[in-house]
Amino acid sequence: DVKVTQSSRYLVKRTGEKVFLECVQDMDHENMFWYRQDPGLGLRLIYFSYDVKMKEKGDIPEGYSVSREKKERFSLILESASTNQTSMYLCASSRDGINSPLHFGNGTRLTVT
Amino acid sequence: AQKITQTQPGMFVQEKEAVTLDCTYDTSDPSYGLFWYKQPSSGEMIFLIYQGSYDQQNATEGRYSLNFQKARKSANLVISASQLGDSAMYFCAMREGSSNTGKLIFGQGTTLQVKP
């Protein structure tokens, strides 16, 4: 089974802090994604990566950056956390192919106070 | 414009009955894939079923089936013989074939509650 592991289940950070969310997958997937989930809005794509050191902006990249130094690891960085970044963050990975599902981690619920 | 629309924020169904969760999509791409995910209260996203735009038959996976009406651009999820464990949020999602990102575009979700 594909395993996508997010380093923290819950995080509480202060406004202005730099925040790192880590994600690791064990199935050698080419593609990795960061989404945020908010009530009534579904899942929105923040950033994705299709190869090591390659990254592309998603629909809501403002206030975020990412890093993919190794194929299995994809990090989401909040340069200066703000209260409107309080959300559930979901990491996912997939193979190439239109019919390849995304495999998700369990999510990180981030609260910025 | 919304690419994926789920118009039912919440649904109730009696245990052992069937339920249909609605999903409409909008794309001009002739090649696309449609996915349904289940998210229980524990938070993990569970892949349920996939339908390709060129598939001739509706997809089925156990108690899940997809009512795919291409001309109407709808991809409704049908859950037969509902169980208490089916209580969860359900998301419809689409991947466009022309997209070079492989990303899935998600709807807003539908919360399903199964009554005993």
Side-chain angles (χ1 to χ4, degrees):
Chain A
D1 267 358
V2 177
K3 194 168 176 76
V4 179
T5 303
Q6 294 184 231
S7 54
S8 303
R9 191 82 172 97
Y10 298 95
L11 272 180
V12 180
K13 296 291 181 181
R14 293 195 179 276
T15 302
E17 278 193 78
K18 191 168 186 176
V19 181
F20 293 86
L21 303 184
E22 306 287 347
C23 175
V24 177
Q25 52 99 359
D26 67 358
M27 283 301 292
D28 202 38
H29 284 170
E30 299 84 0
N31 307 307
M32 295 190 75
F33 306 83
W34 276 106
Y35 285 85
R36 67 176 278 177
Q37 181 180 2
D38 300 288
L41 297 177
L43 279 71
R44 294 178 292 165
L45 182 65
I46 305 170
Y47 266 97
F48 71 97
S49 168
Y50 52 89
D51 202 351
V52 175
K53 297 191 186 293
M54 306 304 289
K55 59 187 179 185
E56 293 281 347
K57 292 180 181 179
D59 301 315
I60 51 164
E62 297 79 18
Y64 304 94
S65 62
V66 290
S67 171
R68 193 169 181 197
E69 296 296 319
K70 293 184 178 181
K71 191 173 186 178
E72 66 270 19
R73 186 179 297 270
F74 192 36
S75 303
L76 179 69
I77 303 152
L78 286 66
E79 296 290 342
S80 177
S82 63
T83 54
N84 63 11
Q85 292 178 310
T86 292
S87 186
M88 170 70 90
Y89 290 87
L90 292 164
C91 175
S93 70
S94 78
R95 296 201 183 284
D96 286 338
I98 194 168
N99 62 345
S100 297
L102 265 57
H103 299 269
F104 284 87
N106 284 341
T108 296
R109 185 164 293 283
L110 173 67
T111 302
V112 183
T113 60
Chain B
Q2 286 274 43
K3 290 228 173 190
I4 296 283
T5 303
Q6 296 179 252
T7 56
Q8 308 151 312
M11 291 275 287
F12 288 93
V13 66
Q14 205 67 37
E15 193 178 8
K16 300 181 185 174
E17 291 185 352
V19 63
T20 298
L21 306 183
D22 294 342
C23 173
T24 58
Y25 59 91
D26 182 24
T27 182
S28 56
D29 199 324
S31 174
Y32 52 89
L34 297 157
F35 301 77
W36 277 92
Y37 282 83
K38 172 184 178 182
Q39 187 181 43
S41 57
S42 52
E44 74 268 32
M45 292 283 283
I46 303 166
F47 165 64
L48 295 178
I49 196 167
Y50 168 81
Q51 179 84 46
S53 60
Y54 294 119
D55 293 343
Q56 295 296 311
Q57 298 201 341
N58 287 342
T60 60
E61 289 287 346
R63 293 187 299 109
Y64 304 109
S65 61
L66 208 152
N67 183 1
F68 181 46
Q69 297 187 44
K70 196 170 182 177
R72 297 179 62 184
K73 294 190 174 178
S74 75
N76 300 337
L77 178 70
V78 181
I79 305 174
S80 62
S82 297
Q83 302 172 356
L84 296 178
D86 294 334
S87 294
M89 180 162 276
Y90 290 81
F91 289 97
C92 179
M94 175 176 66
R95 175 183 282 133
E96 294 173 304
S98 60
S99 167
N100 62 352
T101 70
K103 72 177 184 180
L104 292 191
I105 304 164
F106 285 84
Q108 308 95 312
T110 295
T111 301
L112 175 67
Q113 292 191 42
V114 181
K115 294 182 173 180

